[in-house]
Amino acid sequence: ETGVTQTPRHLVMGMTNKKSLKCEQHLGHNAMYWYKQSAKKPLELMFVYSLEERVENNSVPSRFSPECPNSSHLFLHLHTLQPEDSALYLCASSQDNGNYNEQFFGPGTRLTVL
Amino acid sequence: DAKTTQPNSMESNEEEPVHLPCNHSTISGTDYIHWYRQLPSQGPEYVIHGLTSNVNNRMASLAIAEDRKSSTLILHRATLRDAAVYYCILRDVETSYDKVIFGPGTSLSVIP
């Protein structure tokens, strides 16, 4: 247990569905992240929230919409996805205080888009 | 972002030491060297980090070359549980927020 939980762990959805991924951290951190890990590819940073404000958006398509209502929760809203969006979606958190602090990752949500 | 180069895969015998190399010839003075690993079906986990001096913790040791253009993660006695993908990452502390860019990493197999 890393202190970062993700739900659901597995999700299968059609291209016309709308779903949301949830991440919760119990570590008192103030920064949270979404990463995408496709098969045989490195992890790709998607979004970064620091103090509940989005500070990074790595040219992610608008069909992915993040939400950070407070420092403990992070959502990734999904709509009209494509089959190539099938991947492992990982959430992480860290304490962003100007010094280096390790990131703690959740177990991920395995997403399959049909 | 400065890049790192690692071998795609390595093998080790159980209970033997493992030396995982990483090249980072374009490293800047403010880049810290970090290692994470990802066990099968799990998210990545932090292993160790350093700037100039060698570092030890309960999981591993990090040896940094004097010119900082390369580093080596050392697992002193490999166990089956150490089979994972190991990522060597450079982190620029001058960015305004924590940012971790992962490469393909080294896939370590441990042979019983």
Side-chain angles (χ1 to χ4, degrees):
Chain A
E1 282 295 329
T2 63
V4 181
T5 58
Q6 291 187 243
T7 53
R9 293 292 308 275
H10 300 271
L11 178 63
V12 179
M13 60 186 288
M15 289 192 285
T16 59
N17 292 156
K18 289 186 180 181
K19 296 286 184 183
S20 296
L21 309 184
K22 179 182 176 183
C23 176
E24 184 173 358
Q25 57 96 359
H26 311 274
L27 301 168
H29 290 163
N30 61 7
M32 297 187 77
Y33 313 78
W34 279 116
Y35 291 85
K36 175 184 177 183
Q37 188 171 32
S38 303
K40 300 185 179 179
K41 283 188 175 181
L43 277 81
E44 302 170 54
L45 180 64
M46 299 176 71
F47 299 104
V48 180
Y49 278 83
S50 180
L51 299 172
E52 299 155 46
E53 286 191 25
R54 192 192 307 180
V55 296
E56 175 98 4
N57 174 0
N58 274 340
S59 302
V60 178
S62 60
R63 57 186 183 269
F64 296 92
S65 175
E67 179 189 2
C68 187
N70 55 60
S71 60
S72 299
H73 294 86
L74 184 65
F75 295 89
L76 188 63
H77 303 299
L78 316 171
H79 64 96
T80 59
L81 293 193
Q82 305 297 312
E84 59 265 28
D85 296 322
S86 298
L88 181 68
Y89 289 84
L90 290 156
C91 173
S93 72
S94 71
Q95 185 60 24
D96 185 3
N97 56 11
N99 298 315
Y100 165 72
N101 287 292
E102 65 186 274
Q103 291 190 10
F104 292 79
F105 285 80
T109 295
R110 175 71 61 186
L111 174 67
T112 303
V113 181
L114 301 176
Chain B
D1 298 310
K3 293 192 179 327
T4 63
T5 306
Q6 299 176 254
N8 288 335
S9 61
M10 290 183 65
E11 272 188 359
S12 172
N13 294 318
E14 195 177 9
E15 299 191 5
E16 296 282 326
V18 183
H19 289 65
L20 296 162
C22 181
N23 287 320
H24 27 79
S25 58
T26 59
I27 192 170
S28 73
T30 55
D31 286 336
Y32 278 73
I33 302 156
H34 300 263
W35 286 82
Y36 282 73
R37 72 179 185 180
Q38 187 172 18
L39 302 171
S41 302
Q42 294 188 27
E45 63 175 345
Y46 166 82
V47 178
I48 200 167
H49 78 281
L51 183 62
T52 56
S53 304
N54 294 344
V55 184
N56 299 298
N57 67 20
R58 63 175 180 81
M59 289 180 73
S61 295
L62 177 60
I64 301 172
E66 196 170 334
D67 63 5
R68 299 206 332 121
K69 293 186 176 181
S70 65
S71 60
T72 303
L73 180 70
I74 302 165
L75 307 179
H76 295 286
R77 287 182 70 220
T79 68
L80 297 179
R81 196 190 175 280
D82 291 322
V85 179
Y86 287 79
Y87 300 100
C88 170
I89 297 155
L90 299 184
R91 303 264 316 260
D92 183 356
V93 296
E94 292 191 343
T95 56
S96 60
Y97 57 89
D98 284 341
K99 182 174 180 178
V100 180
I101 305 298
F102 287 83
T106 296
S107 179
L108 175 67
S109 302
V110 179
I111 303 166

